[in-house]
Amino acid sequence: MGRELAKCHPSKKVHGRGLCQRCYNRWRRQSGKCTQCGEITVSKSLCSYHLANAKWDARLKRYGITRGELESLKSRQECRCAICGSQHQEGLLTALGVDHNHKTGKIRGLLCRLCNLAVGNFRDDPELCEKAAVYLRRNADPS
């Protein structure tokens, strides 16, 4: 039994509608359907669910971890920010971001957006964070 060849590129295997995978995905994007599930979309190629997952997959790949490792980290932190302890929703797509050392790439933990921005604004410098804490304590309103 021979394999069916695409009419667009006869050297490639048929993926759908008689087209190779690349041409089929292009056809789906132009038709306003998600290339993953076929759901009608307003974006060019992915429904909102698959677009969000694709973004997370790209982040995880950049950090060199798997979804399982991310879920394990979330479980250890009980879906809480590692700095302020704020609780966040269950599931992969949470408001917690992956915090990492920009020099080594090592993952430090999961932080809420505000804490992640604060750490970044202090340029990952613990001494600068300590100076800010001293400043805030010194200038705190007595209550």
Side-chain angles (χ1 to χ4, degrees):
M1 180 174 167
R3 67 179 195 169
E4 192 177 345
L5 300 176
K7 58 187 174 187
C8 54
H9 294 98
S11 62
K12 297 184 179 179
K13 186 178 164 187
V14 167
H15 184 74
R17 299 189 66 84
L19 304 170
C20 70
Q21 184 165 1
R22 183 175 172 196
C23 291
Y24 178 73
N25 286 343
R26 185 180 303 135
W27 172 82
R28 298 249 333 238
R29 279 192 302 272
Q30 291 170 347
S31 65
K33 292 185 180 180
C34 176
T35 57
Q36 301 294 318
C37 66
E39 179 181 318
I40 303 222
T41 67
V42 292
S43 72
K44 292 187 177 181
S45 61
L46 295 173
C47 65
S48 57
Y49 172 80
H50 285 110
L51 182 62
N53 278 301
K55 287 179 180 179
W56 264 104
D57 287 342
R59 283 187 207 138
L60 296 178
K61 186 176 181 181
R62 182 175 55 211
Y63 301 133
I65 63 172
T66 65
R67 284 177 179 241
E69 290 168 325
L70 177 64
E71 288 298 333
S72 174
L73 185 56
K74 277 180 38 192
S75 178
R76 283 196 304 267
Q77 288 186 210
E78 298 175 342
C79 293
R80 294 182 179 275
C81 173
I83 293 177
C84 71
S86 61
Q87 181 78 41
H88 292 272
Q89 66 187 21
E90 290 287 336
L92 178 66
L93 305 174
T94 69
L96 294 173
V98 178
D99 177 48
H100 66 288
N101 182 311
H102 291 138
K103 292 178 184 167
T104 65
K106 182 181 178 195
I107 295 171
R108 296 185 283 222
L110 300 177
L111 301 179
C112 70
R113 181 170 171 75
L114 291 176
C115 289
N116 202 10
L117 287 170
V119 168
N121 285 332
F122 283 119
R123 298 180 292 281
D124 296 347
D125 184 349
E127 290 179 21
L128 194 55
C129 290
E130 289 171 12
K131 287 179 183 180
V134 168
Y135 169 81
L136 290 172
R137 285 188 195 102
R138 186 175 59 230
N139 294 293
D141 289 332
S143 17

